[in-house]
Amino acid sequence: MKRNTWQREAVRTALAQREHFVSAQALHAALRDGGSSIGLATVYRALADLAEEGEADSLQQEGEALYRACTPGTHHHHLICRSCGLTVEIEANAVETWARQVAADHGFTEAEHVVDVFGLCEACARLQSGAPRA
């Protein structure tokens, strides 16, 4: 585990305040707007460390790494709105069973996987269809 610096704690706190996945650049801008002197490279390092230690989820979208705070030690999957970025953690027992079976069928052990499902949240779907938001 990396040592806890004020910069790392600032990144952890800022990340925890967001419901959606966020890029390092966007998080850095928010920290700077809040008066922090933290550098962009430090934000990148802190996010990578948090993801490695299981305190943040990471995904690639359009070639960019995005991050979101998560509950350490829990395996979960995400539903992610393509429009607004709303993210919901979900369990997917059928996926777990399928992944273990496919791995075993091919002689693999200790298989790991990541599943993110992208779509439109209810509010964005309504907006795209022209219906008023709830």
Side-chain angles (χ1 to χ4, degrees), residues 68-95:
R68 179 178 177 266
C70 72
T71 307
T74 63
H75 178 73
H76 54 270
H77 305 283
H78 304 104
L79 291 171
I80 305 166
C81 180
R82 286 189 308 261
S83 182
C84 72
L86 174 67
T87 303
V88 178
E89 290 184 6
I90 59 170
E91 289 185 28
N93 293 331
V95 170

Side-chain angles (χ1 to χ4, degrees), residues 72-129:
T74 63
H75 178 73
H76 54 270
H77 305 283
H78 304 104
L79 291 171
I80 305 166
C81 180
R82 286 189 308 261
S83 182
C84 72
L86 174 67
T87 303
V88 178
E89 290 184 6
I90 59 170
E91 289 185 28
N93 293 331
V95 170
E96 303 304 325
T97 301
W98 172 82
R100 281 191 302 273
Q101 186 60 53
V102 167
D105 289 349
H106 294 277
F108 281 68
T109 61
E110 300 182 37
E112 297 179 3
H113 64 276
V114 176
V115 175
D116 295 317
V117 179
F118 293 86
L120 292 176
C121 69
E122 188 177 348
C124 289
R126 266 198 308 276
L127 190 62
Q128 279 195 358
S129 71

Side-chain angles (χ1 to χ4, degrees), residues 22-104:
V22 64
S23 69
Q25 295 93 339
L27 197 62
H28 176 253
L31 285 162
R32 297 293 295 218
D33 289 348
S36 177
S37 61
I38 194 167
L40 180 58
T42 302
V43 172
Y44 271 106
R45 272 192 308 277
L47 287 170
D49 290 344
L50 291 171
E52 182 179 319
E53 294 169 7
E55 291 187 54
D57 289 319
S58 174
L59 64 86
Q60 292 287 320
Q61 190 170 32
E62 298 178 12
E64 182 175 32
L66 302 178
Y67 298 89
R68 179 178 177 266
C70 72
T71 307
T74 63
H75 178 73
H76 54 270
H77 305 283
H78 304 104
L79 291 171
I80 305 166
C81 180
R82 286 189 308 261
S83 182
C84 72
L86 174 67
T87 303
V88 178
E89 290 184 6
I90 59 170
E91 289 185 28
N93 293 331
V95 170
E96 303 304 325
T97 301
W98 172 82
R100 281 191 302 273
Q101 186 60 53
V102 167

